[in-house]
Amino acid sequence: MRATEVDEFDDFVRARASAMFRTAYLLTGDHHAAEDLVQEILEQMYVRWRHIRQTPEGYARRALVNRANNRWRLRRRRPETGLAAMPAGGEPGTSDRADEVVGRHVIVGALRTLPARQRAAVVLRFLDDLSVAEVAETLGCSAGAVKRHTSRGLAKLRELLDAPDPPPGEVCPPVAKVHTSQILEVLR
């Protein structure tokens, strides 16, 4: 690889590594697995940089989703630790971030219960701020499938997190917007 290509790759890694890690963490639900996943994808990208340097972000997203799905298929899932054993949070008015940390664990735990396609659609759509078309391209499916996976994934998250269901007939009810934004705020 030429020096200019190495510099381009280094710039890409500096600019996108943290976002890739966040996406990997939300896809896997495990800090260490996410680190390994990002490292594997970056190694793969380095080898193929000449071919993918025009669209590295799309390649990285697709590789993250595919590799995360393969991890779920190939490795036996470890039993999850129940969150019921965790304390409910600090006293009202405390200045520590215990409630935020517990909230993150609860939401990441809820994301882990979603099927891989739904989890990927929700993470890419709302946390990576991709359009429906971009998510469809990344997942290799139709825009309708992305909408279906996203809708079902958000409904399951609302159910798991005891959020109120949207009223029938509303495409994007205010309750769903507020709740989705609360979920996203905790994860960012």
Side-chain angles (χ1 to χ4, degrees):
M1 197 181 311
R2 289 180 275 173
T4 58
E5 291 172 338
V6 171
D7 291 340
E8 287 175 5
F9 180 76
D10 288 344
D11 291 341
F12 172 79
V13 171
R14 276 192 288 280
R16 298 297 301 157
S18 61
M20 287 175 65
F21 174 76
R22 184 187 71 215
T23 301
Y25 177 70
L26 294 170
L27 289 171
T28 62
D30 181 68
H31 181 80
H32 300 291
E35 286 177 342
D36 291 344
L37 183 63
V38 170
Q39 184 64 35
E40 291 169 10
I41 298 305
L42 290 174
E43 289 173 5
Q44 180 179 331
M45 290 180 71
Y46 182 80
V47 172
R48 296 186 176 116
W49 187 251
R50 282 189 181 148
H51 305 290
I52 64 168
R53 69 188 232 197
Q54 300 303 318
T55 58
E57 289 186 33
Y59 181 89
R61 277 192 299 271
R62 179 171 278 221
L64 280 170
V65 169
N66 290 342
R67 187 71 57 98
N69 288 341
N70 287 343
R71 282 178 177 264
W72 284 105
R73 280 188 221 123
L74 298 175
R75 294 190 177 158
R76 197 170 13 143
R77 290 178 67 179
R78 292 180 289 230
E80 295 182 20
T81 306
L83 293 175
M86 295 181 76
E91 303 266 334
T94 58
S95 62
D96 68 1
R97 298 177 63 178
D99 289 336
E100 184 180 331
V101 171
V102 170
R104 284 178 191 250
H105 284 296
V106 169
I107 291 171
V108 169
L111 279 170
R112 290 177 79 178
T113 65
L114 295 178
R117 296 291 259 185
Q118 290 178 11
R119 183 175 54 250
V122 169
V123 167
L124 293 173
R125 183 79 176 94
F126 294 106
L127 299 168
D128 280 353
D129 294 325
L130 299 181
S131 69
V132 172
E134 291 171 323
V135 174
E137 182 182 330
T138 299
L139 296 179
C141 62
S142 69
V146 169
K147 291 175 187 178
R148 184 177 63 248
H149 292 312
T150 303
S151 174
R152 289 179 182 172
L154 287 176
K156 183 69 173 176
L157 286 174
R158 282 188 210 101
E159 177 186 315
L160 292 170
L161 299 172
D162 292 324
D165 287 331
E170 286 195 36
V171 176
C172 192
V175 173
K177 283 184 182 175
V178 170
H179 186 65
T180 301
S181 68
Q182 290 171 342
I183 290 171
L184 299 178
E185 191 60 38
V186 170
L187 289 172
R188 288 181 194 240

mmCIF file of all heavy atoms in Angstrom, residues 71-99:
data_model
loop_
_atom_site.group_PDB
_atom_site.id
_atom_site.type_symbol
_atom_site.label_atom_id
_atom_site.label_comp_id
_atom_site.label_asym_id
_atom_site.label_seq_id
_atom_site.Cartn_x
_atom_site.Cartn_y
_atom_site.Cartn_z
ATOM 1 N N ARG A 71 -21.274 -13.785 14.421
ATOM 2 C CA ARG A 71 -20.905 -14.093 15.810
ATOM 3 C C ARG A 71 -22.085 -14.704 16.549
ATOM 4 O O ARG A 71 -21.933 -15.626 17.330
ATOM 5 C CB ARG A 71 -20.453 -12.836 16.549
ATOM 6 C CG ARG A 71 -19.073 -12.403 16.224
ATOM 7 C CD ARG A 71 -18.756 -11.110 16.974
ATOM 8 N NE ARG A 71 -17.410 -10.725 16.712
ATOM 9 C CZ ARG A 71 -16.379 -11.018 17.495
ATOM 10 N NH1 ARG A 71 -16.570 -11.689 18.593
ATOM 11 N NH2 ARG A 71 -15.180 -10.635 17.192
ATOM 12 N N TRP A 72 -23.274 -14.154 16.324
ATOM 13 C CA TRP A 72 -24.466 -14.686 16.991
ATOM 14 C C TRP A 72 -24.755 -16.098 16.519
ATOM 15 O O TRP A 72 -25.209 -16.941 17.283
ATOM 16 C CB TRP A 72 -25.683 -13.793 16.727
ATOM 17 C CG TRP A 72 -25.674 -12.545 17.511
ATOM 18 C CD1 TRP A 72 -25.398 -11.290 17.058
ATOM 19 C CD2 TRP A 72 -25.937 -12.395 18.906
ATOM 20 N NE1 TRP A 72 -25.470 -10.383 18.082
ATOM 21 C CE2 TRP A 72 -25.802 -11.036 19.225
ATOM 22 C CE3 TRP A 72 -26.267 -13.283 19.914
ATOM 23 C CZ2 TRP A 72 -25.998 -10.551 20.500
ATOM 24 C CZ3 TRP A 72 -26.463 -12.785 21.186
ATOM 25 C CH2 TRP A 72 -26.329 -11.437 21.475
ATOM 26 N N ARG A 73 -24.532 -16.367 15.259
ATOM 27 C CA ARG A 73 -24.825 -17.692 14.714
ATOM 28 C C ARG A 73 -23.790 -18.719 15.152
ATOM 29 O O ARG A 73 -24.136 -19.850 15.475
ATOM 30 C CB ARG A 73 -24.833 -17.657 13.189
ATOM 31 C CG ARG A 73 -26.103 -17.132 12.626
ATOM 32 C CD ARG A 73 -26.090 -17.309 11.112
ATOM 33 N NE ARG A 73 -26.659 -16.101 10.539
ATOM 34 C CZ ARG A 73 -26.060 -15.322 9.679
ATOM 35 N NH1 ARG A 73 -24.882 -15.620 9.225
ATOM 36 N NH2 ARG A 73 -26.654 -14.248 9.226
ATOM 37 N N LEU A 74 -22.530 -18.347 15.111
ATOM 38 C CA LEU A 74 -21.465 -19.312 15.306
ATOM 39 C C LEU A 74 -21.122 -19.590 16.765
ATOM 40 O O LEU A 74 -20.664 -20.663 17.099
ATOM 41 C CB LEU A 74 -20.203 -18.846 14.577
ATOM 42 C CG LEU A 74 -20.343 -18.712 13.056
ATOM 43 C CD1 LEU A 74 -19.067 -18.138 12.461
ATOM 44 C CD2 LEU A 74 -20.670 -20.053 12.430
ATOM 45 N N ARG A 75 -21.324 -18.612 17.609
ATOM 46 C CA ARG A 75 -20.937 -18.803 19.007
ATOM 47 C C ARG A 75 -22.170 -19.005 19.869
ATOM 48 O O ARG A 75 -23.186 -18.354 19.683
ATOM 49 C CB ARG A 75 -20.169 -17.578 19.503
ATOM 50 C CG ARG A 75 -18.860 -17.444 18.787
ATOM 51 C CD ARG A 75 -18.015 -16.409 19.414
ATOM 52 N NE ARG A 75 -16.743 -16.381 18.710
ATOM 53 C CZ ARG A 75 -15.930 -15.370 18.709
ATOM 54 N NH1 ARG A 75 -16.226 -14.299 19.377
ATOM 55 N NH2 ARG A 75 -14.801 -15.425 18.045
ATOM 56 N N ARG A 76 -22.008 -19.885 20.794
ATOM 57 C CA ARG A 76 -23.101 -20.113 21.723
ATOM 58 C C ARG A 76 -23.212 -18.890 22.620
ATOM 59 O O ARG A 76 -22.212 -18.409 23.159
ATOM 60 C CB ARG A 76 -22.802 -21.356 22.565
ATOM 61 C CG ARG A 76 -23.980 -21.907 23.248
ATOM 62 C CD ARG A 76 -23.712 -23.255 23.856
ATOM 63 N NE ARG A 76 -22.310 -23.610 23.925
ATOM 64 C CZ ARG A 76 -21.771 -24.269 24.921
ATOM 65 N NH1 ARG A 76 -22.489 -24.644 25.927
ATOM 66 N NH2 ARG A 76 -20.492 -24.571 24.895
ATOM 67 N N ARG A 77 -24.425 -18.414 22.785
ATOM 68 C CA ARG A 77 -24.629 -17.221 23.608
ATOM 69 C C ARG A 77 -24.399 -17.550 25.074
ATOM 70 O O ARG A 77 -24.861 -18.557 25.574
ATOM 71 C CB ARG A 77 -26.043 -16.683 23.427
ATOM 72 C CG ARG A 77 -26.250 -16.083 22.065
ATOM 73 C CD ARG A 77 -27.646 -15.613 21.883
ATOM 74 N NE ARG A 77 -27.917 -14.489 22.757
ATOM 75 C CZ ARG A 77 -29.072 -13.865 22.793
ATOM 76 N NH1 ARG A 77 -30.043 -14.242 22.021
ATOM 77 N NH2 ARG A 77 -29.269 -12.851 23.607
ATOM 78 N N ARG A 78 -23.689 -16.673 25.719
ATOM 79 C CA ARG A 78 -23.487 -16.833 27.153
ATOM 80 C C ARG A 78 -24.767 -16.437 27.860
ATOM 81 O O ARG A 78 -25.457 -15.525 27.424
ATOM 82 C CB ARG A 78 -22.357 -15.929 27.640
ATOM 83 C CG ARG A 78 -21.012 -16.334 27.133
ATOM 84 C CD ARG A 78 -19.992 -15.389 27.674
ATOM 85 N NE ARG A 78 -20.164 -14.107 27.011
ATOM 86 C CZ ARG A 78 -19.198 -13.413 26.453
ATOM 87 N NH1 ARG A 78 -17.982 -13.853 26.510
ATOM 88 N NH2 ARG A 78 -19.432 -12.279 25.861
ATOM 89 N N PRO A 79 -25.068 -17.088 28.971
ATOM 90 C CA PRO A 79 -26.278 -16.675 29.691
ATOM 91 C C PRO A 79 -26.124 -15.237 30.192
ATOM 92 O O PRO A 79 -25.049 -14.839 30.652
ATOM 93 C CB PRO A 79 -26.364 -17.654 30.858
ATOM 94 C CG PRO A 79 -25.065 -18.376 30.896
ATOM 95 C CD PRO A 79 -24.377 -18.174 29.594
ATOM 96 N N GLU A 80 -27.186 -14.495 30.058
ATOM 97 C CA GLU A 80 -27.141 -13.099 30.473
ATOM 98 C C GLU A 80 -27.384 -12.988 31.964
ATOM 99 O O GLU A 80 -28.142 -13.757 32.549
ATOM 100 C CB GLU A 80 -28.199 -12.293 29.724
ATOM 101 C CG GLU A 80 -27.932 -12.239 28.250
ATOM 102 C CD GLU A 80 -28.971 -11.399 27.518
ATOM 103 O OE1 GLU A 80 -29.634 -10.584 28.168
ATOM 104 O OE2 GLU A 80 -29.100 -11.582 26.321
ATOM 105 N N THR A 81 -26.760 -12.006 32.565
ATOM 106 C CA THR A 81 -26.977 -11.734 33.968
ATOM 107 C C THR A 81 -28.222 -10.887 34.090
ATOM 108 O O THR A 81 -28.360 -9.869 33.415
ATOM 109 C CB THR A 81 -25.777 -10.960 34.554
ATOM 110 O OG1 THR A 81 -24.589 -11.698 34.268
ATOM 111 C CG2 THR A 81 -25.933 -10.762 36.037
ATOM 112 N N GLY A 82 -29.123 -11.293 34.938
ATOM 113 C CA GLY A 82 -30.369 -10.550 35.106
ATOM 114 C C GLY A 82 -30.135 -9.192 35.721
ATOM 115 O O GLY A 82 -29.303 -9.032 36.621
ATOM 116 N N LEU A 83 -30.870 -8.215 35.248
ATOM 117 C CA LEU A 83 -30.731 -6.867 35.786
ATOM 118 C C LEU A 83 -31.529 -6.688 37.070
ATOM 119 O O LEU A 83 -31.380 -5.689 37.750
ATOM 120 C CB LEU A 83 -31.186 -5.840 34.747
ATOM 121 C CG LEU A 83 -30.287 -5.756 33.524
ATOM 122 C CD1 LEU A 83 -30.877 -4.804 32.496
ATOM 123 C CD2 LEU A 83 -28.910 -5.270 33.918
ATOM 124 N N ALA A 84 -32.367 -7.669 37.410
ATOM 125 C CA ALA A 84 -33.143 -7.572 38.638
ATOM 126 C C ALA A 84 -32.226 -7.558 39.859
ATOM 127 O O ALA A 84 -32.560 -6.998 40.893
ATOM 128 C CB ALA A 84 -34.123 -8.732 38.730
ATOM 129 N N ALA A 85 -31.067 -8.169 39.740
ATOM 130 C CA ALA A 85 -30.120 -8.209 40.851
ATOM 131 C C ALA A 85 -29.415 -6.871 41.054
ATOM 132 O O ALA A 85 -28.838 -6.627 42.099
ATOM 133 C CB ALA A 85 -29.082 -9.297 40.614
ATOM 134 N N MET A 86 -29.494 -6.004 40.055
ATOM 135 C CA MET A 86 -28.835 -4.700 40.156
ATOM 136 C C MET A 86 -29.687 -3.754 40.986
ATOM 137 O O MET A 86 -30.913 -3.820 40.960
ATOM 138 C CB MET A 86 -28.624 -4.098 38.770
ATOM 139 C CG MET A 86 -27.673 -4.883 37.905
ATOM 140 S SD MET A 86 -27.468 -4.110 36.313
ATOM 141 C CE MET A 86 -26.407 -2.763 36.776
ATOM 142 N N PRO A 87 -29.058 -2.845 41.709
ATOM 143 C CA PRO A 87 -29.841 -1.853 42.443
ATOM 144 C C PRO A 87 -30.606 -0.969 41.478
ATOM 145 O O PRO A 87 -30.182 -0.710 40.365
ATOM 146 C CB PRO A 87 -28.791 -1.049 43.226
ATOM 147 C CG PRO A 87 -27.490 -1.379 42.604
ATOM 148 C CD PRO A 87 -27.636 -2.696 41.894
ATOM 149 N N ALA A 88 -31.739 -0.489 41.919
ATOM 150 C CA ALA A 88 -32.623 0.306 41.060
ATOM 151 C C ALA A 88 -32.061 1.679 40.759
ATOM 152 O O ALA A 88 -32.562 2.365 39.890
ATOM 153 C CB ALA A 88 -33.994 0.445 41.707
ATOM 154 N N GLY A 89 -31.077 2.120 41.431
ATOM 155 C CA GLY A 89 -30.498 3.441 41.175
ATOM 156 C C GLY A 89 -30.279 4.170 42.486
ATOM 157 O O GLY A 89 -30.601 3.675 43.562
ATOM 158 N N GLY A 90 -29.745 5.354 42.407
ATOM 159 C CA GLY A 90 -29.448 6.128 43.601
ATOM 160 C C GLY A 90 -30.669 6.830 44.141
ATOM 161 O O GLY A 90 -31.767 6.746 43.629
ATOM 162 N N GLU A 91 -30.478 7.502 45.248
ATOM 163 C CA GLU A 91 -31.532 8.306 45.852
ATOM 164 C C GLU A 91 -31.882 9.457 44.918
ATOM 165 O O GLU A 91 -31.038 9.921 44.160
ATOM 166 C CB GLU A 91 -31.016 8.888 47.172
ATOM 167 C CG GLU A 91 -30.542 7.849 48.157
ATOM 168 C CD GLU A 91 -31.641 7.476 49.108
ATOM 169 O OE1 GLU A 91 -32.525 8.308 49.331
ATOM 170 O OE2 GLU A 91 -31.617 6.359 49.611
ATOM 171 N N PRO A 92 -33.125 9.929 44.962
ATOM 172 C CA PRO A 92 -33.461 11.091 44.141
ATOM 173 C C PRO A 92 -32.582 12.278 44.526
ATOM 174 O O PRO A 92 -32.338 12.512 45.705
ATOM 175 C CB PRO A 92 -34.925 11.369 44.479
ATOM 176 C CG PRO A 92 -35.435 10.108 45.099
ATOM 177 C CD PRO A 92 -34.266 9.406 45.693
ATOM 178 N N GLY A 93 -32.118 12.960 43.529
ATOM 179 C CA GLY A 93 -31.299 14.145 43.768
ATOM 180 C C GLY A 93 -29.824 13.850 43.915
ATOM 181 O O GLY A 93 -29.047 14.764 44.146
ATOM 182 N N THR A 94 -29.408 12.602 43.812
ATOM 183 C CA THR A 94 -27.976 12.329 43.905
ATOM 184 C C THR A 94 -27.304 12.787 42.635
ATOM 185 O O THR A 94 -27.898 12.808 41.570
ATOM 186 C CB THR A 94 -27.692 10.822 44.120
ATOM 187 O OG1 THR A 94 -28.264 10.100 43.047
ATOM 188 C CG2 THR A 94 -28.221 10.337 45.445
ATOM 189 N N SER A 95 -26.053 13.145 42.742
ATOM 190 C CA SER A 95 -25.362 13.698 41.589
ATOM 191 C C SER A 95 -24.599 12.643 40.793
ATOM 192 O O SER A 95 -23.994 12.964 39.800
ATOM 193 C CB SER A 95 -24.395 14.801 42.041
ATOM 194 O OG SER A 95 -23.428 14.248 42.906
ATOM 195 N N ASP A 96 -24.607 11.382 41.266
ATOM 196 C CA ASP A 96 -23.884 10.387 40.489
ATOM 197 C C ASP A 96 -24.701 9.990 39.259
ATOM 198 O O ASP A 96 -25.845 10.371 39.103
ATOM 199 C CB ASP A 96 -23.523 9.164 41.337
ATOM 200 C CG ASP A 96 -24.733 8.356 41.752
ATOM 201 O OD1 ASP A 96 -25.859 8.727 41.378
ATOM 202 O OD2 ASP A 96 -24.552 7.353 42.452
ATOM 203 N N ARG A 97 -24.082 9.216 38.398
ATOM 204 C CA ARG A 97 -24.720 8.865 37.126
ATOM 205 C C ARG A 97 -25.245 7.433 37.153
ATOM 206 O O ARG A 97 -25.350 6.788 36.120
ATOM 207 C CB ARG A 97 -23.715 9.061 36.007
ATOM 208 C CG ARG A 97 -23.284 10.524 35.905
ATOM 209 C CD ARG A 97 -22.243 10.728 34.876
ATOM 210 N NE ARG A 97 -22.789 10.386 33.563
ATOM 211 C CZ ARG A 97 -22.124 10.506 32.448
ATOM 212 N NH1 ARG A 97 -20.900 10.971 32.465
ATOM 213 N NH2 ARG A 97 -22.662 10.169 31.292
ATOM 214 N N ALA A 98 -25.588 6.950 38.322
ATOM 215 C CA ALA A 98 -26.026 5.565 38.466
ATOM 216 C C ALA A 98 -27.278 5.289 37.643
ATOM 217 O O ALA A 98 -27.369 4.250 36.987
ATOM 218 C CB ALA A 98 -26.274 5.227 39.931
ATOM 219 N N ASP A 99 -28.246 6.190 37.674
ATOM 220 C CA ASP A 99 -29.473 5.969 36.899
ATOM 221 C C ASP A 99 -29.183 5.889 35.414
ATOM 222 O O ASP A 99 -29.762 5.070 34.697
ATOM 223 C CB ASP A 99 -30.484 7.089 37.163
ATOM 224 C CG ASP A 99 -31.076 7.009 38.558
ATOM 225 O OD1 ASP A 99 -31.073 5.902 39.137
ATOM 226 O OD2 ASP A 99 -31.544 8.050 39.059
#
